[in-house]
Amino acid sequence: MEPVLIVLVVLVVVAFIALIKTIQVIPQASAAIVERFGRYTRTLNAGLNIVVPFIDRVRNRIDLREQVVPFPPQPVITQDNLVVNIDTVIYYQVTDPRAATYEVASYIQAIEQLTVTTLRNIIGSMDLESTLTSREVINAGLRGVLDEATGKWGIRVNRVELKAIEPPTSIQDSMEKQMRAERDKRAAILTAEGNRQSQILRAEGEKQAEVLKAEGEAQAAVLRADGEAAAIRTVFEAIHDGDADQKLLAYQYLQTLPELAKGDANKLWIIPSEVGDALKGLGGAFTGLTGNGGGANGGAVAAPSAAPAAPPASTQVPIDPAAGPRPLDTDTKGSARPRIDPLREYRKIDPE
């Protein structure tokens, strides 16, 4: 019984191993290569697959998702004989598992070496300035060459990116100095432009302020002149309407004389020539009041005993008040009056 039991146990173990090797479960986005006696048979897709145990062999599983492979920095010489270190990143995807398995021994290593050689060819035809400013051109050139070369390997290169471009330290210092000088230049230009604009705006503002001030002063002068003209016109009309006589005009004229003497700086002032005429008119008025008025105690005024004599031929008759005061030898009624010294009368009015 023991040999039979051992045989049964061995058969169960072999059947279990055969069952495990027969059933193959492939994950999603993966593929497997099956070989029968060392020869490619078929490609297993995602899901449950059945193979012949001990005859078919699953060689390797391949991930069909897009892969990202960063490559270490590679020294590259530019056209102007400068060595720069460039880091690259490759985004690729396996489209044909059979070709990726049998067409190339290691597609990762092949892609890396192809990237390095292509990058050196592209950078070798460009100077440092173009290398630093033409990343898109370099990426497009790398992607085109890699996609064409890796197509027969069952691999599609989706993107190629330059992660970093590092020039030598001395070149970096020179570039920093150049950049700093360029920025200082732009800052100085912007500052000068700002000062220029501010001065222009300030000058325009002052100009507009002066123009507005001049216009305001002109309008104020016009309004002031109109007001003075209206005031003079009103006074002139009032004098004409009131029919002021020569005595009133002479008195008003004399009232303005003290205004000429006001002020501490007036050490010497000249009496106008018209003062004599005004004093003559005012003296005539005082003489008329003295000759025709009563006594100091308010007595009745005596009537004239005889009709006034006719004015002599040399006497001047009163004229229009608007024409100004003129000297008279007689009053308006023709009464004779003594002539009054103008300077003496003025000193009586203003002893100063």
Side-chain angles (χ1 to χ4, degrees):
M1 293 295 295
E2 291 181 0
V4 175
L5 183 58
I6 294 174
V7 171
L8 291 177
V9 171
V10 171
L11 291 177
V12 170
V13 172
V14 171
F16 181 74
I17 295 174
L19 182 62
I20 293 176
K21 289 184 173 293
T22 301
I23 300 174
Q24 296 291 331
V25 178
I26 306 300
Q28 183 66 33
S30 298
I33 300 299
V34 178
E35 294 179 350
R36 180 172 294 177
F37 300 112
R39 183 179 181 181
Y40 171 76
T41 302
R42 58 195 177 99
T43 301
L44 301 180
N45 297 320
L48 182 63
N49 296 274
I50 304 298
V51 296
V52 178
F54 306 107
I55 297 177
D56 295 338
R57 183 176 70 91
V58 178
R59 180 172 178 176
N60 57 353
R61 300 176 185 270
I62 298 175
D63 194 347
L64 300 180
R65 294 174 297 178
E66 186 174 5
Q67 303 293 322
V68 181
V69 179
F71 296 142
Q74 298 294 329
V76 181
I77 301 176
T78 61
Q79 188 178 9
D80 47 358
N81 297 325
L82 294 176
V83 180
V84 295
N85 294 324
I86 300 179
D87 297 346
T88 55
V89 178
I90 304 296
Y91 295 82
Y92 72 93
Q93 184 177 10
V94 177
T95 58
D96 188 357
R98 178 183 175 278
T101 303
Y102 296 104
E103 295 295 334
V104 62
S106 175
Y107 56 84
I108 297 296
Q109 185 178 1
I111 292 174
E112 179 181 0
Q113 296 301 321
L114 183 60
T115 301
V116 171
T117 56
T118 305
L119 187 62
R120 288 179 178 175
N121 291 333
I122 296 175
I123 299 299
S125 61
M126 303 172 63
D127 55 3
L128 180 61
E129 189 70 23
S130 301
T131 302
L132 296 175
T133 59
S134 303
R135 293 194 175 214
E136 294 297 331
V137 177
I138 298 173
N139 293 339
L142 280 174
R143 183 177 178 277
V145 174
L146 291 176
D147 196 14
E148 181 181 359
T150 58
K152 61 180 180 179
W153 299 340
I155 297 172
R156 182 177 69 247
V157 177
N158 296 326
R159 296 183 63 183
V160 179
E161 294 292 339
L162 299 181
K163 187 167 62 174
I165 300 177
E166 298 179 358
T169 306
S170 59
I171 301 300
Q172 290 182 7
D173 296 338
S174 301
M175 292 173 62
E176 290 179 358
K177 292 180 180 178
Q178 181 181 1
M179 186 180 301
R180 190 179 301 109
E182 186 67 24
R183 290 180 178 176
D184 293 340
K185 175 184 175 182
R186 289 200 300 264
I189 292 174
L190 292 177
T191 302
E193 186 68 23
N195 293 332
R196 175 175 172 270
Q197 292 293 335
S198 64
Q199 292 178 2
I200 290 175
L201 293 177
R202 189 180 300 109
E204 291 180 353
E206 293 177 355
K207 175 183 175 182
Q208 293 180 0
E210 292 295 334
V211 170
L212 293 177
K213 182 179 179 181
E215 291 179 355
E217 292 178 353
Q219 293 179 1
V222 171
L223 294 176
R224 194 180 302 112
D226 292 341
E228 293 177 356
I232 293 173
R233 191 180 302 110
T234 302
V235 172
F236 186 76
E237 292 177 356
I239 293 174
H240 278 275
D241 293 341
D243 194 13
D245 56 358
Q246 187 70 16
K247 305 178 185 64
L248 178 61
L249 295 177
Y251 179 73
Q252 293 293 333
Y253 185 80
L254 290 176
Q255 282 184 337
T256 60
L257 291 178
E259 299 295 332
L260 298 176
K262 288 183 178 180
D264 297 335
N266 294 331
K267 303 300 182 182
L268 177 64
W269 55 281
I270 300 173
I271 300 176
S273 60
E274 292 82 358
V275 172
D277 297 337
L279 292 175
K280 289 180 181 180
L282 186 61
F286 290 157
T287 303
L289 294 175
T290 305
N292 296 330
N297 296 327
V301 178
S305 60
S314 61
T315 302
Q316 298 180 1
V317 296
I319 60 176
D320 187 9
R326 298 185 61 183
L328 297 176
D329 292 334
T330 59
D331 54 8
T332 56
K333 296 182 179 181
S335 300
R337 61 174 177 80
R339 185 179 298 274
I340 301 174
D341 187 6
L343 182 58
R344 182 181 302 170
E345 295 297 329
Y346 179 74
R347 289 177 178 175
K348 292 179 180 180
I349 296 174
D350 191 359
E352 295 293 328

